[in-house]
Amino acid sequence: MEESSAAGLRIGPYRIVRVLGSGGMGIVYLAERADESFRQQVAIKLVRDRLVDPETEERLLGERQILANLDHPNIARLLDGGATAEGTPYLVMEYIDGVPIDRYCDSRRLSIDERLHLFRLICSAVHYAHQNLVVHRDIKCTNILVTRDGVPKLLDFGIAKLLDPAGMPTAGLTRQGVLMLTPENAAPEQVLDGPITTATDTYALGLLLYRLLCGHPPYRLHGSHREIAEAICGEQPRPPSAMVDVYWKEPETRSRELEVVRPEIVARYRSTSVDKLRRRLKGDLDNIALKALRKEPARRYRSVHELSEDLRLHQAFLPVTARPDTWRYRAGKFMRRHVAGLGMAATIAALLVAFGATVFVQNQRIAEERDTAMEVSRFLAEIFTAPDPWNARGSGVTAREILERGADRISTELQGRPGIQAMLMQAIGSAYYRLGDYDPAIAMLERSLELRRDVLGEGSREVAGVKNDLAAVLIRVADYDRARKLLEEALEQHRREEGEDGPSVAASLFYLADLARLTGDLAAAERFASESLAIWRKQEQQYPGKLAEATSALARILRAKGDLATAERHYREAIAFIRERFGDDYPSLAYPLQNLAVVLREQGRFDEAEAMFRQALELARRVFGDDHDVVAGSLVMLGALQHERGALDMAEASFREALELHTSSLGPAHPFVAYDMTSMAMLCFDEGRLDEAEALLRDAVEIYEQSVGPDHLYLSSALTELGIVLVEQGAAERALPLFERALSILRRTQASAQFLEAGASAAYGHALAELGRYDEAEGLLLESVPRLVAPYVPSARRGRLALGWLASLYEGWDRPEEAARYREQLASLVAEAR
């Protein structure tokens, strides 16, 4: 059966749809179930008609048995098999909807580390096959497809060889005089028709690794079969790093290679520059690839697992087993030929060298640590003598001035000591963060991170620690994407260094929880916060303050999800714990105090809430100063309570001060600034200042869209409030798209958005009523009002508005009795708020 005649034909219970690919042995078709028992797409492989003979049938049966025995997540599964009515053998395999691994990596511009991750998954699959006595023999890019979910799948065991339990190749699966191979992916022993072992697959993986790293094959194959064989068996490949700058013009029919082999394109496909790519490959990766490509099978990696393990060691910044093929290798050969004569001398020399090296390294380390401690002590002593009257000359010196002087001196006086520079810059950056000065904090921490990387390497624990600190500041300034990348990298590094329960792991999880909460992913936020809290509980004696902060963080997420009772319990636990361990002036106490006040407000316990807000505000001013963003947070939440209770002048003063503080400390485009604007706009609306309210809300919407994205709860709230203003201005038609967008956002979120969704639905109903669409409006308002006036709602304001809108609807609809009933309910709700 050939390609042109197969479409639409049935093979067993399957109907052929189209050709997926073809090779020397057969054709692979996409097929689907034809018996309608269930829907399924598969790949069916048929041998070409001209090749059907007893030996071919034997090979297909062998392939069927091979695949049937393999069950690995990165190997395409065999589903069925048999023969057509004409006697043509076929295999039914899992259909992989993917693209070849090299195209997948390039199209997504995967970094070297991301490519190594995929490659090691394939190594795992090949190693598994080897353990099951199977050699693939044709590993190449087109036989490795990567799905949309990023899962690589190894295909086509059509020329695999079964091994006996001793690891030697069995007979009978290679046709006499015919080499079953793809030349550009063939190992020297395949070209020479030599024994095929697991080392053959190791060589093929080396070819694949080489191409994934530098975008080229290790040598260019052209000419006759003899010339190709000479290149494969005799030409020594250059290191991948040396191939980065090579530009080969491929044949015009291979347009993709024309693009890929240009150096700048190769680097771009790996999300880096040409220089950085060359440096990244030089050393370990060069040696690993070249070891896998050794001409002699015995000199390659002893197993695919060893190849994968060397890559793991490289990524973990540990020594690898691969070494350059230099004089050391030849010297090793000489020593093995003279073992008896050199053994005793080598042993004695090794002991002497090891002892001397150990003493030297220890002395060097002790001296370095001593010098570092003395330098840090001297530097800090000089910095902190600044407030001394003899130095200050009668002028008061603030903490910020001390930090500024320290930062300046670190940059100038310690240029020759990058390790000490990095340590002190991290400390000063963290201090700036706690003072609420985020720009200098970011500058210090970025410089510390750069120095740590230069001195200690990307994979060091210290680098991961700076990433945590820098991400914490970036979260405060709403640079969420960069913060997430740093935290994910730090978490992986910390887990590698400390295990699952290390304190740095808990810190990364803590910040990831805060980031997820701020970006609206409450499920992920709760998961991260719970994991962080569990670790801190195990280390309570060492880190009691962290335990309190993690408890408070989890409570904040539960409150966002609407679980007010559990959130209140956690906040009270955190507050009691902090006061017992650290006293009433501990800086972190301000956070659970103000957040507990929010929970109390949402439960309708206004007197308790106001007392708690003022307590939190007083502590924040005393500890952080009047211009810290923690003070601004307490002010805006106190203002919301004052607004609820009708103290509009006091609320406006609180909102304006919060807006000024947040703008100065976080910048004018921060989501906290937009939150303050939204709060202020709601107050302006209630006072009839509609133009001012509209301007504030349009600014808030723009800030939210740029900072937290198009699907955040904060944005839905601002859109709803803007729509309410437009309806009040007589532009109900223009308000409808805003309500529809807000509802679309809210319906994609979790249970925490139910109150906001009810508010947006009620406002939508109000707009419809203003347009005379009373039937639609009534349904929306009657459904929403009970949820907005229920006990313990976050804000009674939305309930009061909804009751007024429902009464207005019935008045416009000439149904005065219903209107009067809802007017009475509104009056009662207003009285309760006061």
Side-chain angles (χ1 to χ4, degrees):
M1 184 185 302
E2 298 299 326
E3 298 181 34
S4 60
S5 61
L9 296 181
R10 286 188 55 154
I11 297 179
Y14 304 98
R15 180 184 297 109
I16 290 178
V17 177
R18 59 181 170 85
V19 175
L20 291 175
S22 61
M25 287 296 297
I27 307 170
V28 181
Y29 298 95
L30 174 65
E32 59 188 8
R33 295 286 300 195
D35 55 8
E36 299 183 354
S37 59
F38 57 89
R39 297 183 63 183
Q40 181 186 35
Q41 286 191 323
V42 298
I44 295 182
K45 179 176 181 179
L46 287 88
V47 173
R48 296 184 184 276
D49 292 340
R50 64 180 180 275
L51 295 180
V52 176
D53 56 30
E55 186 176 351
T56 301
E57 291 185 23
E58 181 183 350
R59 289 180 55 77
L60 264 292
L61 290 174
E63 181 178 358
R64 178 177 174 182
Q65 185 58 50
I66 290 169
L67 283 174
N69 291 336
L70 299 181
D71 182 14
H72 188 279
N74 300 112
I75 295 178
R77 293 179 293 112
L78 174 69
L79 304 176
D80 198 356
T84 66
E86 294 79 15
T88 303
Y90 68 85
L91 297 173
V92 180
M93 295 170 288
E94 176 186 5
Y95 169 56
I96 307 301
D97 184 10
V99 296
I101 188 170
D102 58 336
R103 287 173 49 199
Y104 179 88
C105 293
D106 289 350
S107 65
R108 287 159 177 78
R109 300 191 177 186
L110 297 190
S111 67
I112 293 298
D113 281 326
E114 290 168 328
R115 289 165 183 255
L116 293 179
H117 171 72
L118 285 178
F119 180 80
R120 291 191 63 219
L121 291 177
I122 293 301
C123 287
S124 171
V126 176
H127 180 62
Y128 168 82
H130 289 177
Q131 288 178 315
N132 285 270
L133 310 181
V134 178
V135 178
H136 189 286
R137 297 212 304 170
D138 196 25
I139 297 171
K140 55 188 177 182
C141 293
T142 53
N143 274 342
I144 302 169
L145 300 185
V146 186
T147 68
R148 295 176 183 176
D149 297 330
V151 179
K153 294 276 191 175
L154 184 58
L155 314 176
D156 198 355
F157 280 81
I159 59 173
K161 268 203 169 186
L162 289 176
L163 300 179
D164 68 13
M168 298 300 294
T170 61
L173 292 181
T174 302
R175 184 174 297 183
Q176 184 67 32
V178 179
L179 293 177
M180 299 298 180
L181 52 85
T182 307
E184 58 265 30
N185 295 286
E189 60 268 27
Q190 288 177 289
V191 173
L192 299 173
D193 201 13
I196 306 301
T197 68
T198 56
T200 305
D201 281 351
T202 301
Y203 186 92
L205 287 169
L207 292 173
L208 173 63
L209 176 63
Y210 198 103
R211 181 176 283 276
L212 291 180
L213 293 177
C214 68
H216 299 285
Y219 23 69
R220 197 177 188 188
L221 302 179
H222 55 84
S224 66
H225 290 299
R226 182 180 60 80
E227 291 171 323
I228 291 174
E230 288 176 353
I232 293 173
C233 298
E235 184 179 333
Q236 293 297 328
R238 298 168 63 186
S241 63
M243 297 294 287
V244 171
D245 294 313
V246 172
Y247 171 63
W248 284 346
K249 186 174 182 180
E250 298 285 356
E252 294 300 325
T253 55
R254 302 181 67 185
S255 58
R256 181 173 174 278
E257 281 77 0
L258 273 170
E259 181 182 29
V260 170
V261 296
R262 289 167 47 196
E264 64 274 16
I265 300 287
V266 169
R268 189 184 310 159
Y269 280 163
R270 287 148 183 82
S271 295
T272 187
S273 65
V274 174
D275 289 340
K276 288 181 179 178
L277 178 60
R278 191 188 309 110
R279 291 196 299 269
R280 179 71 176 84
L281 302 184
K282 194 171 184 179
D284 282 354
L285 291 178
D286 279 345
N287 294 335
I288 291 169
L290 293 180
K291 182 173 180 178
L293 292 174
R294 297 269 171 84
K295 304 299 181 184
E296 308 93 327
R299 293 184 58 207
R300 298 171 199 155
Y301 285 96
R302 289 178 297 178
S303 70
V304 172
H305 175 72
E306 283 193 4
L307 167 59
S308 179
E309 180 65 11
D310 240 8
L311 291 171
R312 185 194 70 79
L313 291 171
H314 164 74
Q315 290 184 288
F317 299 91
L318 295 172
V320 301
T321 63
R323 292 290 183 270
D325 189 13
T326 62
W327 65 268
R328 292 183 180 85
Y329 173 75
R330 294 187 292 274
K333 289 281 191 181
F334 173 83
M335 292 176 67
R336 282 193 291 272
R337 287 197 301 269
H338 300 85
V339 173
L342 295 173
M344 184 67 71
T347 301
I348 295 172
L351 289 172
L352 289 173
V353 170
F355 176 76
T358 301
V359 171
F360 177 77
V361 169
Q362 287 180 343
N363 287 339
Q364 286 288 98
R365 185 179 296 121
I366 291 170
E368 185 177 342
E369 291 177 355
R370 180 198 62 214
D371 293 346
T372 297
M374 291 177 64
E375 186 70 25
V376 171
S377 298
R378 179 196 64 78
F379 189 86
L380 293 178
E382 292 180 5
I383 292 298
F384 286 103
T385 55
D388 189 308
W390 292 94
N391 294 323
R393 305 293 178 98
S395 301
V397 180
T398 67
R400 281 185 175 83
E401 290 171 334
I402 293 174
L403 291 178
E404 288 169 5
R405 294 177 184 180
D408 290 341
R409 294 186 59 179
I410 288 170
S411 300
T412 56
E413 295 180 18
L414 297 177
Q415 285 187 352
R417 306 295 300 274
I420 298 175
Q421 265 189 317
M423 183 191 309
L424 292 171
M425 284 178 171
Q426 183 178 1
I428 287 181
S430 297
Y432 270 126
Y433 166 59
R434 290 177 175 82
L435 285 173
D437 282 0
Y438 300 123
D439 288 341
I442 291 172
M444 282 283 106
L445 290 169
E446 285 178 336
R447 181 58 180 148
S448 175
L449 180 60
E450 181 181 346
L451 290 170
R452 293 281 199 194
R453 282 171 168 158
D454 290 343
V455 174
L456 301 172
E458 178 66 31
S460 72
R461 180 182 301 181
E462 290 80 2
V463 165
V466 182
K467 287 179 178 179
N468 267 358
D469 291 348
L470 178 56
V473 190
L474 294 174
I475 290 172
R476 296 299 294 178
V477 299
D479 192 348
Y480 296 142
D481 290 340
R482 190 176 170 207
R484 180 179 292 103
K485 185 176 186 296
L486 287 171
L487 287 173
E488 289 172 350
E489 292 172 355
L491 179 61
E492 182 179 351
Q493 289 175 259
H494 287 315
R495 280 177 167 158
R496 196 162 53 233
E497 292 284 339
E498 300 178 352
E500 293 295 326
D501 293 333
S504 300
V505 173
S508 295
L509 290 168
F510 175 86
Y511 293 126
L512 280 168
D514 196 36
L515 178 61
R517 178 187 62 83
L518 288 167
T519 53
D521 189 352
L522 298 181
E526 184 176 5
R527 184 177 69 254
F528 289 135
S530 298
E531 291 176 13
S532 176
L533 180 58
I535 296 173
W536 291 128
R537 278 179 176 153
K538 296 176 183 177
Q539 306 188 37
E540 176 182 344
Q541 297 304 316
Q542 291 178 275
Y543 306 100
K546 297 295 185 183
L547 176 60
E549 291 175 12
T551 303
S552 183
L554 179 59
R556 192 168 188 180
I557 295 161
L558 293 173
R559 173 250 156 187
K561 295 183 71 175
D563 188 355
L564 301 183
T566 307
E568 179 182 355
R569 185 174 72 251
H570 283 316
Y571 279 134
R572 293 195 183 278
E573 288 175 3
I575 291 168
F577 185 88
I578 291 172
R579 282 176 166 158
E580 179 183 348
R581 293 292 187 94
F582 305 106
D584 290 336
D585 287 332
Y586 191 64
S588 293
L589 181 60
Y591 295 100
L593 284 175
Q594 69 181 18
N595 285 305
L596 175 58
V598 172
V599 172
L600 295 173
R601 186 197 75 200
E602 292 180 355
Q603 291 176 327
R605 296 152 66 181
F606 292 152
D607 291 338
E608 294 178 72
E610 184 164 357
M612 191 70 69
F613 274 132
R614 295 196 179 280
Q615 189 178 348
L617 182 58
E618 188 274 331
L619 174 63
R621 290 188 189 277
R622 186 172 71 249
V623 174
F624 295 106
D626 289 334
D627 57 350
H628 198 283
D629 71 312
V630 176
V631 174
S634 293
L635 282 167
V636 73
M637 288 186 277
L638 175 61
L641 175 62
Q642 292 165 336
H643 187 187
E644 284 284 320
R645 307 191 79 172
L648 302 187
D649 290 342
M650 297 173 65
E652 182 168 354
S654 297
F655 289 148
R656 289 196 182 281
E657 186 177 358
L659 179 58
E660 182 180 345
L661 287 177
H662 272 146
T663 302
S664 62
S665 62
L666 301 175
H670 195 279
F672 288 3
V673 172
Y675 187 92
D676 298 342
M677 288 178 170
T678 304
S679 300
M680 185 69 187
M682 287 160 35
L683 179 68
C684 291
F685 174 85
D686 289 350
E687 291 188 328
R689 295 146 55 189
L690 300 182
D691 291 342
E692 187 176 350
E694 181 185 359
L696 285 166
L697 288 166
R698 291 195 182 280
D699 287 344
V701 167
E702 182 178 355
I703 292 171
Y704 281 143
E705 287 179 329
Q706 294 176 356
S707 59
V708 297
D711 293 319
H712 201 280
L713 295 179
Y714 289 170
L715 176 59
S716 71
S717 183
L719 289 169
T720 299
E721 293 297 334
L722 179 57
I724 292 171
V725 171
L726 292 178
V727 174
E728 192 69 17
Q729 291 175 327
E733 194 72 46
R734 289 168 51 206
L736 292 181
L738 300 178
F739 295 136
E740 289 165 358
R741 185 180 172 194
L743 287 167
S744 176
I745 294 171
L746 293 165
R747 286 165 182 163
R748 291 195 297 269
T749 60
Q750 303 165 57
S752 60
Q754 287 183 356
F755 173 78
L756 294 177
E757 184 181 346
S761 294
Y764 193 25
H766 175 49
L768 294 174
E770 291 296 304
L771 294 170
R773 296 159 62 178
Y774 296 125
D775 286 332
E776 299 171 75
E778 182 185 30
L780 287 169
L781 284 164
L782 288 177
E783 181 184 359
S784 302
V785 164
R787 291 190 287 166
L788 295 171
V789 299
Y792 309 144
V793 296
S795 170
R797 174 180 175 272
R798 287 277 177 90
R800 293 196 296 269
L801 287 174
L803 283 170
W805 293 336
L806 193 52
S808 296
L809 179 148
Y810 287 125
E811 288 166 354
W813 209 355
D814 196 21
R815 293 165 62 176
E817 293 182 359
E818 288 96 329
R821 184 167 70 251
Y822 287 109
R823 290 290 180 197
E824 291 176 4
Q825 289 187 29
L826 175 58
S828 175
L829 197 63
V830 170
E832 288 178 11
R834 296 183 186 279

